[in-house]
Amino acid sequence: MFQLSPAGIDFVKTELNRYETKRSAILPCLYKVQEENGGWVSPEAVNHLADVMDIPAAHINEVLYFYTMYNKKPVGRLHVQVCATISCAMNGARELAKHICDKYQVKEGEISDDGMVTVTKVECLGSCGTAPMMQIGNAYYENLTKESAIEVIEDLKKKSTNQ
Amino acid sequence: MEVKILSEHYHKDDFQGLTGYKANGGYEMLKKAFTMKPQEIIDLVKAAGLRGRGGAGFPTGVKWGFLPDNGEPRYLLCNADEGEPGTFKDREMMERAPHQLVEGMIISAFAIGSKKSYIYIRGEYDDSINSCRQAIKEAYDAGLLGKNIMGSGFDHDMDVYCGAGAYICGEETGMISSLEGKKGQPKLKPPFPAVQGYLGKPTIVNNVETLASVIYILRDGVDAYRKYGTEKSPGTKLFSVSGNVVKPGNYEVPLGYPLKDLIFDLCGGLKPGRKLKAVIPGGSSAPILTAEEAMVATLDYENLAQHGSMLGSGAVMVIDDSNCMVDLLGVTLHFYHHESCGQCTPCREGTGWLDKIVHSILDGKGRLQDIDLMDEVAGHMMGRTICALSDAAAMPTLSFLKKFRDEFEFYVREGRSKVKGQAHAQM
Ligand SMILES: Cc1cc2nc3c(=O)[nH]c(=O)nc-3n(C[C@H](O)[C@H](O)[C@H](O)COP(=O)(O)O)c2cc1C
Ligand code: SF4
Ligand code: FES
């Protein structure tokens, strides 16, 4: 059963008082839940959050399913998001995404066998002048080549397994 | 030549922090604003002719004038959702000069009589979120936000709100729904946000660049501001250039600047051996220009309208002759189909159909009548929906089909791209 950590509960309490209405706290609190639930928001986590926030789970689900940054199913420890919109597409983004998928033997949106990597193509991330680019976690990696992208991922994989 | 007003200090490492910002004249205009009457500031912005930099180009001072005088609390929302493909100017400003945005917002809030503002930043922009939060914190600590700012008697609170991945939240009423903690679905206008916005209260929504520009109108005055740009498009503007140029990036030039010079002088032109094929001048929603049109167009609202396109967000996407136009329309339509919020039938169904048809052409299964069908579907999507996303999908479609029809016909006939070496790059 998912439960927010004490710090997570404190976060929710603060957010509930931060805006003009409680409901505005849903978006920030869903980020917190996702962070503490290993990168995705499960149905149990929604129910738990609804209890803590004391608002209807339906309001939370409405938000959860509308926005793409909340993962509705589990993802690998490294969620590699490659922008495939127009300026990136013109600079080899789709070939890059395919290269990363082939390298880690995953289909788009699935998790590699070692649980490490999920690759998804996403829409414009506002980094079009430094295309092609990818986002992993919170960080942007720009002006990529096939080689430099793999280097970044390998590096993060090492850091993540050493933790 | 670039004219750097908004971006003058971008290259300075310490400009991000309050000390460095102040050392370069920061918050002097806020001080000046407090010596003026709010209405004087609104009149100044009106006289300067500042037009909204978020896409629609609506005159900012006029918008501010729509606020009803009914004693209700007023909100100021900064639109930092920056989702229009090709646009990355607001991100650079928030990362390099967050206090410039904060100062512009406090001045604007004072002008419109707002005690509370939010910067709505797209959730992916982690660096922008952090730098704006830091700037707001510094401003509170220095008495530039909160109660009785600089002894003026004016109170103002500011906060950052993070989106969570939805292009439609850049549309102002979608943004308001999102800030209210709901799905980011746009609402029918009127009522306009200035009358009934966030929580039903009068709300002004302005783009990052718009709000920062207010500082320099105060600093330089109307005549100096209007020295740059054209009669109908005064001032300088940030352009995000991407695609196939040698030096992509953000460039600040006076409005009315020749598109050709932006591409071939400032951005270093195209890669060796490449020829210009087309330019999208104002984000992916703007109708595409052929190379011939691009060589004579100037970057102002009226000239691009004459060419049947628009200035939009100032995102210039440069396309060379290695690209297949059928493929690029496919990428574009995938975007709009993915981002339609689904409330209006013409948009939900139309973007779905267009995406499906163009991809069947790309898969080699197209029929000649599909080209006319796309034309017809796009035609039915214009001007019939709650927000402009539907038009934003239809306009590129109609312009691609009109200006590059031969490539679409070739693709249908031969089952492959007219451009050599262009395989269908989808995975
Ligand atoms: C589909 C759609 C997406 C939009 N996205 C943005 C955006 O990312 N940033 C922005 O400033 N304006 C965006 N706009 C325009 C806003 O609705 C609004 O006009 C603008 O924020 C007003 O600010 P301004 O007058 O300062 O330009 C979008 C409009 C539409 C229809
Ligand atoms: S036009 Fe499209 S995106 Fe806009 S409100 Fe209607 S369905 Fe939603
Ligand atoms: S098109 Fe890829 S970041 Fe904008």
Side-chain angles (χ1 to χ4, degrees), chain B residues 363-422:
Chain B
D363 289 340
K365 296 182 198 127
R367 306 159 306 166
L368 267 182
Q369 62 265 39
D370 286 341
I371 300 173
D372 290 330
L373 182 60
M374 286 183 76
D375 222 53
E376 201 187 310
V377 171
H380 285 300
M381 291 167 64
M382 304 275 291
R384 299 167 184 242
T385 50
I386 293 177
C387 89
L389 185 140
S390 188
D391 298 71
M395 288 187 297
T397 307
L398 294 169
S399 65
F400 269 70
L401 292 176
K402 183 165 154 222
K403 294 177 182 177
F404 298 96
R405 195 173 178 97
D406 61 317
E407 282 196 34
F408 285 83
E409 288 176 352
F410 185 97
Y411 216 124
V412 167
R413 261 200 327 271
E414 308 284 328
R416 67 181 165 87
S417 177
K418 195 177 173 190
V419 181
K420 272 205 195 74
Q422 264 284 349

Short mmCIF file of all heavy atoms in Angstrom, two decimals, chain B residues 363-422:
data_model
loop_
_atom_site.label_atom_id
_atom_site.label_comp_id
_atom_site.label_asym_id
_atom_site.label_seq_id
_atom_site.Cartn_x
_atom_site.Cartn_y
_atom_site.Cartn_z
N ASP B 363 2.38 6.26 -45.38
CA ASP B 363 2.54 4.80 -45.41
C ASP B 363 2.39 4.25 -46.82
O ASP B 363 2.38 3.03 -47.02
CB ASP B 363 1.48 4.13 -44.51
CG ASP B 363 1.78 4.36 -43.04
OD1 ASP B 363 2.95 4.68 -42.73
OD2 ASP B 363 0.86 4.23 -42.21
N GLY B 364 2.25 5.14 -47.80
CA GLY B 364 2.12 4.69 -49.19
C GLY B 364 0.73 4.20 -49.55
O GLY B 364 0.53 3.56 -50.58
N LYS B 365 -0.27 4.52 -48.70
CA LYS B 365 -1.63 4.06 -48.98
C LYS B 365 -2.55 5.20 -49.38
O LYS B 365 -3.77 5.06 -49.33
CB LYS B 365 -2.20 3.38 -47.73
CG LYS B 365 -1.45 2.11 -47.35
CD LYS B 365 -2.10 1.46 -46.13
CE LYS B 365 -1.15 0.47 -45.48
NZ LYS B 365 -0.98 0.71 -44.05
N GLY B 366 -1.97 6.34 -49.74
CA GLY B 366 -2.79 7.50 -50.05
C GLY B 366 -3.48 7.39 -51.40
O GLY B 366 -3.04 6.68 -52.29
N ARG B 367 -4.62 8.09 -51.52
CA ARG B 367 -5.30 8.21 -52.81
C ARG B 367 -5.34 9.69 -53.16
O ARG B 367 -5.32 10.54 -52.26
CB ARG B 367 -6.73 7.66 -52.71
CG ARG B 367 -6.82 6.23 -52.17
CD ARG B 367 -8.20 5.94 -51.62
NE ARG B 367 -8.58 6.96 -50.62
CZ ARG B 367 -9.80 7.13 -50.16
NH1 ARG B 367 -10.79 6.39 -50.58
NH2 ARG B 367 -10.07 8.08 -49.27
N LEU B 368 -5.42 9.98 -54.46
CA LEU B 368 -5.39 11.39 -54.87
C LEU B 368 -6.49 12.20 -54.20
O LEU B 368 -6.28 13.34 -53.80
CB LEU B 368 -5.48 11.52 -56.38
CG LEU B 368 -4.13 11.58 -57.10
CD1 LEU B 368 -4.33 11.76 -58.59
CD2 LEU B 368 -3.22 12.69 -56.55
N GLN B 369 -7.68 11.58 -54.05
CA GLN B 369 -8.78 12.34 -53.44
C GLN B 369 -8.51 12.66 -51.96
O GLN B 369 -9.18 13.53 -51.39
CB GLN B 369 -10.13 11.62 -53.63
CG GLN B 369 -10.28 10.27 -53.00
CD GLN B 369 -9.96 9.15 -53.98
OE1 GLN B 369 -9.05 9.25 -54.80
NE2 GLN B 369 -10.72 8.06 -53.92
N ASP B 370 -7.54 11.98 -51.35
CA ASP B 370 -7.22 12.28 -49.94
C ASP B 370 -6.70 13.71 -49.77
O ASP B 370 -6.91 14.32 -48.72
CB ASP B 370 -6.16 11.30 -49.42
CG ASP B 370 -6.74 9.92 -49.16
OD1 ASP B 370 -7.98 9.82 -49.04
OD2 ASP B 370 -5.96 8.96 -49.10
N ILE B 371 -6.03 14.20 -50.80
CA ILE B 371 -5.50 15.56 -50.69
C ILE B 371 -6.66 16.56 -50.61
O ILE B 371 -6.67 17.44 -49.76
CB ILE B 371 -4.56 15.87 -51.88
CG1 ILE B 371 -3.40 14.87 -51.88
CG2 ILE B 371 -4.06 17.31 -51.81
CD1 ILE B 371 -2.51 14.96 -53.10
N ASP B 372 -7.65 16.38 -51.47
CA ASP B 372 -8.83 17.26 -51.41
C ASP B 372 -9.60 17.06 -50.11
O ASP B 372 -10.14 18.00 -49.54
CB ASP B 372 -9.76 16.99 -52.60
CG ASP B 372 -9.12 17.48 -53.89
OD1 ASP B 372 -8.35 18.45 -53.83
OD2 ASP B 372 -9.38 16.87 -54.95
N LEU B 373 -9.63 15.81 -49.66
CA LEU B 373 -10.35 15.51 -48.42
C LEU B 373 -9.71 16.26 -47.24
O LEU B 373 -10.41 16.86 -46.41
CB LEU B 373 -10.33 14.00 -48.16
CG LEU B 373 -11.08 13.51 -46.92
CD1 LEU B 373 -12.56 13.87 -47.00
CD2 LEU B 373 -10.93 11.99 -46.76
N MET B 374 -8.39 16.27 -47.20
CA MET B 374 -7.70 17.00 -46.12
C MET B 374 -8.04 18.48 -46.18
O MET B 374 -8.29 19.13 -45.16
CB MET B 374 -6.18 16.83 -46.24
CG MET B 374 -5.70 15.46 -45.82
SD MET B 374 -3.90 15.33 -45.88
CE MET B 374 -3.43 16.23 -44.43
N ASP B 375 -8.04 19.00 -47.40
CA ASP B 375 -8.38 20.39 -47.62
C ASP B 375 -9.78 20.70 -47.06
O ASP B 375 -9.99 21.71 -46.38
CB ASP B 375 -8.40 20.61 -49.14
CG ASP B 375 -7.74 21.92 -49.50
OD1 ASP B 375 -6.60 22.14 -49.06
OD2 ASP B 375 -8.40 22.70 -50.21
N GLU B 376 -10.70 19.79 -47.36
CA GLU B 376 -12.08 19.99 -46.94
C GLU B 376 -12.22 19.89 -45.42
O GLU B 376 -12.85 20.73 -44.79
CB GLU B 376 -12.94 18.91 -47.62
CG GLU B 376 -14.40 19.26 -47.70
CD GLU B 376 -15.18 18.07 -48.23
OE1 GLU B 376 -14.78 17.49 -49.27
OE2 GLU B 376 -16.18 17.70 -47.58
N VAL B 377 -11.61 18.85 -44.85
CA VAL B 377 -11.68 18.67 -43.40
C VAL B 377 -11.10 19.91 -42.70
O VAL B 377 -11.72 20.47 -41.78
CB VAL B 377 -10.91 17.40 -42.96
CG1 VAL B 377 -10.78 17.33 -41.44
CG2 VAL B 377 -11.59 16.14 -43.50
N ALA B 378 -9.94 20.36 -43.16
CA ALA B 378 -9.30 21.53 -42.53
C ALA B 378 -10.19 22.76 -42.66
O ALA B 378 -10.33 23.54 -41.71
CB ALA B 378 -7.93 21.79 -43.15
N GLY B 379 -10.83 22.91 -43.81
CA GLY B 379 -11.72 24.05 -44.01
C GLY B 379 -12.85 24.08 -43.00
O GLY B 379 -13.24 25.15 -42.52
N HIS B 380 -13.35 22.90 -42.63
CA HIS B 380 -14.45 22.82 -41.66
C HIS B 380 -14.02 23.03 -40.23
O HIS B 380 -14.85 23.07 -39.33
CB HIS B 380 -15.16 21.46 -41.78
CG HIS B 380 -16.02 21.35 -42.99
ND1 HIS B 380 -17.07 22.19 -43.22
CD2 HIS B 380 -15.95 20.52 -44.06
CE1 HIS B 380 -17.64 21.87 -44.38
NE2 HIS B 380 -16.97 20.86 -44.91
N MET B 381 -12.71 23.12 -40.00
CA MET B 381 -12.22 23.26 -38.62
C MET B 381 -12.01 24.72 -38.22
O MET B 381 -11.69 25.02 -37.08
CB MET B 381 -10.88 22.52 -38.46
CG MET B 381 -11.02 21.02 -38.52
SD MET B 381 -9.41 20.21 -38.72
CE MET B 381 -8.62 20.66 -37.17
N MET B 382 -12.16 25.63 -39.20
CA MET B 382 -11.82 27.03 -38.94
C MET B 382 -12.99 27.80 -38.34
O MET B 382 -14.11 27.73 -38.85
CB MET B 382 -11.41 27.72 -40.25
CG MET B 382 -10.28 27.04 -40.99
SD MET B 382 -8.66 27.55 -40.43
CE MET B 382 -8.62 29.24 -41.00
N GLY B 383 -12.71 28.51 -37.25
CA GLY B 383 -13.68 29.45 -36.70
C GLY B 383 -14.93 28.85 -36.11
O GLY B 383 -15.96 29.51 -36.01
N ARG B 384 -14.90 27.59 -35.71
CA ARG B 384 -16.11 26.96 -35.17
C ARG B 384 -15.93 26.38 -33.79
O ARG B 384 -16.74 25.56 -33.36
CB ARG B 384 -16.50 25.76 -36.05
CG ARG B 384 -16.81 26.11 -37.43
CD ARG B 384 -16.86 24.83 -38.27
NE ARG B 384 -17.06 25.25 -39.64
CZ ARG B 384 -18.11 24.94 -40.37
NH1 ARG B 384 -19.04 24.16 -39.90
NH2 ARG B 384 -18.23 25.42 -41.59
N THR B 385 -14.87 26.72 -33.13
CA THR B 385 -14.57 26.01 -31.89
C THR B 385 -14.37 26.98 -30.72
O THR B 385 -14.28 28.18 -30.91
CB THR B 385 -13.31 25.15 -32.05
OG1 THR B 385 -12.28 25.97 -32.59
CG2 THR B 385 -13.56 23.98 -32.97
N ILE B 386 -14.26 26.41 -29.53
CA ILE B 386 -14.11 27.22 -28.32
C ILE B 386 -12.80 27.99 -28.34
O ILE B 386 -12.75 29.15 -27.99
CB ILE B 386 -14.22 26.32 -27.06
CG1 ILE B 386 -15.65 25.78 -26.95
CG2 ILE B 386 -13.81 27.08 -25.80
CD1 ILE B 386 -15.86 24.82 -25.79
N CYS B 387 -11.72 27.33 -28.75
CA CYS B 387 -10.45 28.05 -28.77
C CYS B 387 -9.82 27.93 -30.14
O CYS B 387 -10.35 27.30 -31.05
CB CYS B 387 -9.51 27.57 -27.66
SG CYS B 387 -8.44 26.19 -28.12
N ALA B 388 -8.64 28.54 -30.29
CA ALA B 388 -8.01 28.64 -31.61
C ALA B 388 -7.12 27.44 -31.95
O ALA B 388 -6.47 27.45 -32.99
CB ALA B 388 -7.21 29.94 -31.69
N LEU B 389 -7.10 26.40 -31.12
CA LEU B 389 -6.25 25.25 -31.46
C LEU B 389 -6.70 24.59 -32.76
O LEU B 389 -5.88 24.14 -33.57
CB LEU B 389 -6.21 24.21 -30.34
CG LEU B 389 -5.25 23.04 -30.58
CD1 LEU B 389 -4.51 22.64 -29.32
CD2 LEU B 389 -5.93 21.81 -31.18
N SER B 390 -8.00 24.55 -32.95
CA SER B 390 -8.53 23.93 -34.16
C SER B 390 -8.04 24.68 -35.41
O SER B 390 -7.55 24.06 -36.37
CB SER B 390 -10.06 23.94 -34.08
OG SER B 390 -10.62 23.20 -35.12
N ASP B 391 -8.13 25.99 -35.37
CA ASP B 391 -7.59 26.81 -36.47
C ASP B 391 -6.09 26.61 -36.61
O ASP B 391 -5.55 26.60 -37.71
CB ASP B 391 -7.86 28.29 -36.22
CG ASP B 391 -9.33 28.61 -36.16
OD1 ASP B 391 -9.97 28.21 -35.16
OD2 ASP B 391 -9.85 29.24 -37.10
N ALA B 392 -5.43 26.46 -35.45
CA ALA B 392 -3.97 26.32 -35.46
C ALA B 392 -3.54 25.02 -36.14
O ALA B 392 -2.42 24.92 -36.65
CB ALA B 392 -3.43 26.36 -34.03
N ALA B 393 -4.41 24.03 -36.16
CA ALA B 393 -4.11 22.79 -36.88
C ALA B 393 -4.50 22.92 -38.35
O ALA B 393 -3.83 22.39 -39.24
CB ALA B 393 -4.85 21.62 -36.24
N ALA B 394 -5.59 23.63 -38.59
CA ALA B 394 -6.09 23.75 -39.96
C ALA B 394 -5.19 24.64 -40.82
O ALA B 394 -4.94 24.34 -42.00
CB ALA B 394 -7.52 24.30 -39.94
N MET B 395 -4.69 25.72 -40.23
CA MET B 395 -3.93 26.69 -41.04
C MET B 395 -2.65 26.12 -41.65
O MET B 395 -2.43 26.29 -42.85
CB MET B 395 -3.64 27.95 -40.22
CG MET B 395 -4.91 28.79 -40.02
SD MET B 395 -4.60 30.37 -39.23
CE MET B 395 -3.99 29.87 -37.64
N PRO B 396 -1.81 25.44 -40.88
CA PRO B 396 -0.65 24.83 -41.53
C PRO B 396 -1.07 23.81 -42.60
O PRO B 396 -0.47 23.75 -43.67
CB PRO B 396 0.12 24.16 -40.39
CG PRO B 396 -0.70 24.27 -39.17
CD PRO B 396 -1.77 25.28 -39.41
N THR B 397 -2.12 23.05 -42.31
CA THR B 397 -2.56 22.05 -43.27
C THR B 397 -2.91 22.70 -44.61
O THR B 397 -2.42 22.28 -45.68
CB THR B 397 -3.80 21.30 -42.74
OG1 THR B 397 -3.49 20.80 -41.44
CG2 THR B 397 -4.21 20.17 -43.65
N LEU B 398 -3.77 23.71 -44.55
CA LEU B 398 -4.20 24.36 -45.80
C LEU B 398 -3.01 24.96 -46.54
O LEU B 398 -2.92 24.86 -47.77
CB LEU B 398 -5.24 25.45 -45.48
CG LEU B 398 -6.58 24.92 -44.92
CD1 LEU B 398 -7.44 26.06 -44.40
CD2 LEU B 398 -7.33 24.13 -46.00
N SER B 399 -2.07 25.57 -45.79
CA SER B 399 -0.95 26.23 -46.47
C SER B 399 0.05 25.22 -47.04
O SER B 399 0.57 25.41 -48.13
CB SER B 399 -0.27 27.22 -45.53
OG SER B 399 0.33 26.55 -44.45
N PHE B 400 0.30 24.14 -46.32
CA PHE B 400 1.19 23.09 -46.86
C PHE B 400 0.60 22.53 -48.16
O PHE B 400 1.31 22.34 -49.15
CB PHE B 400 1.35 21.93 -45.86
CG PHE B 400 2.50 22.05 -44.89
CD1 PHE B 400 2.48 23.00 -43.89
CD2 PHE B 400 3.60 21.19 -44.96
CE1 PHE B 400 3.53 23.10 -42.97
CE2 PHE B 400 4.65 21.27 -44.06
CZ PHE B 400 4.60 22.23 -43.05
N LEU B 401 -0.71 22.24 -48.12
CA LEU B 401 -1.35 21.61 -49.29
C LEU B 401 -1.35 22.56 -50.47
O LEU B 401 -1.17 22.15 -51.62
CB LEU B 401 -2.78 21.19 -48.96
CG LEU B 401 -2.94 20.06 -47.95
CD1 LEU B 401 -4.42 19.82 -47.65
CD2 LEU B 401 -2.30 18.77 -48.46
N LYS B 402 -1.55 23.84 -50.20
CA LYS B 402 -1.62 24.81 -51.29
C LYS B 402 -0.23 25.04 -51.89
O LYS B 402 -0.05 25.04 -53.11
CB LYS B 402 -2.19 26.12 -50.74
CG LYS B 402 -2.37 27.19 -51.78
CD LYS B 402 -3.28 28.30 -51.24
CE LYS B 402 -2.95 29.59 -51.96
NZ LYS B 402 -2.91 30.74 -51.04
N LYS B 403 0.76 25.23 -51.03
CA LYS B 403 2.06 25.66 -51.52
C LYS B 403 2.98 24.51 -51.93
O LYS B 403 3.93 24.72 -52.68
CB LYS B 403 2.74 26.53 -50.46
CG LYS B 403 1.98 27.83 -50.26
CD LYS B 403 2.55 28.69 -49.18
CE LYS B 403 1.68 29.94 -49.02
NZ LYS B 403 2.13 30.80 -47.93
N PHE B 404 2.71 23.32 -51.43
CA PHE B 404 3.58 22.18 -51.77
C PHE B 404 2.77 21.00 -52.28
O PHE B 404 3.11 19.85 -52.06
CB PHE B 404 4.43 21.81 -50.54
CG PHE B 404 5.35 22.93 -50.14
CD1 PHE B 404 4.98 23.82 -49.14
CD2 PHE B 404 6.56 23.13 -50.79
CE1 PHE B 404 5.80 24.87 -48.78
CE2 PHE B 404 7.39 24.18 -50.43
CZ PHE B 404 7.00 25.06 -49.43
N ARG B 405 1.69 21.33 -53.00
CA ARG B 405 0.77 20.31 -53.47
C ARG B 405 1.47 19.24 -54.30
O ARG B 405 1.16 18.05 -54.21
CB ARG B 405 -0.36 20.95 -54.28
CG ARG B 405 -1.52 20.01 -54.48
CD ARG B 405 -2.71 20.69 -55.13
NE ARG B 405 -3.75 19.70 -55.31
CZ ARG B 405 -4.76 19.55 -54.47
NH1 ARG B 405 -4.88 20.34 -53.42
NH2 ARG B 405 -5.66 18.61 -54.68
N ASP B 406 2.44 19.66 -55.11
CA ASP B 406 3.13 18.70 -55.98
C ASP B 406 3.81 17.60 -55.15
O ASP B 406 3.84 16.44 -55.58
CB ASP B 406 4.15 19.40 -56.88
CG ASP B 406 5.22 20.11 -56.07
OD1 ASP B 406 4.87 20.77 -55.06
OD2 ASP B 406 6.41 19.99 -56.41
N GLU B 407 4.32 17.95 -53.97
CA GLU B 407 4.97 16.90 -53.16
C GLU B 407 3.96 15.89 -52.63
O GLU B 407 4.26 14.71 -52.49
CB GLU B 407 5.72 17.53 -51.98
CG GLU B 407 7.04 18.12 -52.39
CD GLU B 407 7.96 18.39 -51.21
OE1 GLU B 407 7.95 17.62 -50.23
OE2 GLU B 407 8.70 19.39 -51.29
N PHE B 408 2.76 16.40 -52.31
CA PHE B 408 1.72 15.50 -51.81
C PHE B 408 1.26 14.59 -52.95
O PHE B 408 1.07 13.38 -52.78
CB PHE B 408 0.55 16.30 -51.23
CG PHE B 408 0.88 16.88 -49.87
CD1 PHE B 408 1.59 18.07 -49.75
CD2 PHE B 408 0.50 16.21 -48.71
CE1 PHE B 408 1.91 18.59 -48.51
CE2 PHE B 408 0.82 16.72 -47.45
CZ PHE B 408 1.53 17.92 -47.36
N GLU B 409 1.08 15.17 -54.15
CA GLU B 409 0.63 14.36 -55.29
C GLU B 409 1.68 13.32 -55.67
O GLU B 409 1.35 12.17 -55.97
CB GLU B 409 0.32 15.29 -56.48
CG GLU B 409 -0.95 16.09 -56.23
CD GLU B 409 -1.26 17.11 -57.33
OE1 GLU B 409 -0.40 17.30 -58.22
OE2 GLU B 409 -2.35 17.69 -57.28
N PHE B 410 2.94 13.72 -55.64
CA PHE B 410 4.01 12.78 -55.95
C PHE B 410 3.99 11.62 -54.97
O PHE B 410 4.07 10.44 -55.35
CB PHE B 410 5.37 13.50 -55.89
CG PHE B 410 6.53 12.63 -56.31
CD1 PHE B 410 7.03 12.71 -57.62
CD2 PHE B 410 7.13 11.74 -55.43
CE1 PHE B 410 8.09 11.90 -58.02
CE2 PHE B 410 8.19 10.94 -55.82
CZ PHE B 410 8.68 11.02 -57.12
N TYR B 411 3.83 11.94 -53.69
CA TYR B 411 3.83 10.90 -52.65
C TYR B 411 2.70 9.91 -52.89
O TYR B 411 2.87 8.69 -52.76
CB TYR B 411 3.72 11.52 -51.25
CG TYR B 411 4.53 10.79 -50.20
CD1 TYR B 411 5.48 11.44 -49.43
CD2 TYR B 411 4.34 9.42 -49.98
CE1 TYR B 411 6.24 10.76 -48.48
CE2 TYR B 411 5.09 8.73 -49.03
CZ TYR B 411 6.02 9.41 -48.30
OH TYR B 411 6.77 8.73 -47.36
N VAL B 412 1.52 10.44 -53.22
CA VAL B 412 0.37 9.56 -53.45
C VAL B 412 0.61 8.67 -54.68
O VAL B 412 0.40 7.45 -54.64
CB VAL B 412 -0.91 10.40 -53.64
CG1 VAL B 412 -2.05 9.54 -54.18
CG2 VAL B 412 -1.32 11.05 -52.32
N ARG B 413 1.10 9.28 -55.75
CA ARG B 413 1.33 8.53 -57.01
C ARG B 413 2.39 7.46 -56.86
O ARG B 413 2.22 6.32 -57.26
CB ARG B 413 1.75 9.51 -58.10
CG ARG B 413 0.64 9.94 -59.04
CD ARG B 413 1.16 10.49 -60.36
NE ARG B 413 2.43 11.19 -60.27
CZ ARG B 413 2.55 12.51 -60.02
NH1 ARG B 413 1.47 13.25 -59.81
NH2 ARG B 413 3.73 13.08 -59.96
N GLU B 414 3.54 7.85 -56.27
CA GLU B 414 4.70 6.97 -56.25
C GLU B 414 4.82 6.16 -54.96
O GLU B 414 5.65 5.26 -54.87
CB GLU B 414 5.99 7.79 -56.43
CG GLU B 414 5.99 8.72 -57.63
CD GLU B 414 6.20 8.00 -58.94
OE1 GLU B 414 6.90 6.96 -58.93
OE2 GLU B 414 5.63 8.44 -59.96
N GLY B 415 4.06 6.57 -53.95
CA GLY B 415 4.17 5.87 -52.67
C GLY B 415 5.47 6.16 -51.93
O GLY B 415 5.88 5.42 -51.04
N ARG B 416 6.16 7.22 -52.35
CA ARG B 416 7.40 7.60 -51.65
C ARG B 416 7.62 9.10 -51.79
O ARG B 416 6.97 9.76 -52.60
CB ARG B 416 8.61 6.84 -52.22
CG ARG B 416 8.91 7.23 -53.64
CD ARG B 416 10.10 6.47 -54.22
NE ARG B 416 10.12 6.63 -55.67
CZ ARG B 416 10.72 7.64 -56.30
NH1 ARG B 416 11.36 8.57 -55.60
NH2 ARG B 416 10.68 7.74 -57.62
N SER B 417 8.56 9.61 -51.00
CA SER B 417 8.80 11.05 -50.99
C SER B 417 9.46 11.52 -52.27
O SER B 417 10.28 10.82 -52.87
CB SER B 417 9.68 11.42 -49.80
OG SER B 417 9.97 12.80 -49.84
N LYS B 418 9.12 12.75 -52.66
CA LYS B 418 9.76 13.36 -53.82
C LYS B 418 11.19 13.78 -53.48
O LYS B 418 12.03 13.98 -54.36
CB LYS B 418 8.93 14.61 -54.21
CG LYS B 418 9.26 15.15 -55.57
CD LYS B 418 8.34 16.32 -55.90
CE LYS B 418 8.78 16.96 -57.21
NZ LYS B 418 8.08 18.22 -57.46
N VAL B 419 11.45 13.94 -52.19
CA VAL B 419 12.78 14.37 -51.77
C VAL B 419 13.69 13.15 -51.67
O VAL B 419 13.37 12.18 -50.98
CB VAL B 419 12.70 15.09 -50.40
CG1 VAL B 419 14.08 15.56 -49.96
CG2 VAL B 419 11.74 16.25 -50.49
N LYS B 420 14.80 13.21 -52.35
CA LYS B 420 15.73 12.06 -52.40
C LYS B 420 16.21 11.69 -51.01
O LYS B 420 16.53 12.53 -50.19
CB LYS B 420 16.94 12.42 -53.25
CG LYS B 420 16.75 12.13 -54.72
CD LYS B 420 18.11 11.89 -55.40
CE LYS B 420 17.96 11.98 -56.90
NZ LYS B 420 17.77 13.36 -57.37
N GLY B 421 16.29 10.41 -50.76
CA GLY B 421 16.87 9.93 -49.51
C GLY B 421 15.96 10.09 -48.31
O GLY B 421 16.35 9.80 -47.20
N GLN B 422 14.73 10.59 -48.51
CA GLN B 422 13.83 10.76 -47.38
C GLN B 422 12.96 9.53 -47.23
O GLN B 422 11.98 9.37 -47.92
CB GLN B 422 12.94 11.98 -47.58
CG GLN B 422 13.45 13.23 -46.91
CD GLN B 422 13.21 13.20 -45.40
OE1 GLN B 422 12.50 12.34 -44.89
NE2 GLN B 422 13.83 14.11 -44.69
#
